[in-house]
Amino acid sequence: MDSARRAKLAEALVQSGRGDRNAFATVFAATSAKLFGVCLHIFPDRNEAEDVL
């Protein structure tokens, strides 16, 4: 991830913590694929992994 994208994600995390739903959508869009992979390692059942994510 380049520094501009990292900075955008960091700012979105801050704004998300302040309750900004659009910022949360940005964070989710940027991280959900990798987080889903982590969830699949923890919960081998795909439906459970989706629920956790």
Side-chain angles (χ1 to χ4, degrees), residues 28 35-36 39-40 43-53:
F28 186 80
L35 290 174
F36 184 60
C39 290
L40 280 173
F43 301 95
D45 178 13
R46 184 177 180 89
N47 289 329
E48 287 181 9
E50 288 175 357
D51 287 344
V52 170
L53 181 62

Side-chain angles (χ1 to χ4, degrees):
M1 181 181 292
D2 65 36
S3 62
R5 286 180 59 201
R6 191 173 318 202
K8 181 181 176 183
L9 180 58
E11 181 58 27
L13 281 167
V14 170
Q15 294 303 319
S16 179
R18 294 180 179 151
D20 184 333
R21 289 177 178 260
N22 289 328
F24 181 79
T26 298
V27 171
F28 186 80
T31 61
S32 61
K34 289 188 182 229
L35 290 174
F36 184 60
V38 171
C39 290
L40 280 173
H41 283 285
I42 298 168
F43 301 95
D45 178 13
R46 184 177 180 89
N47 289 329
E48 287 181 9
E50 288 175 357
D51 287 344
V52 170
L53 181 62

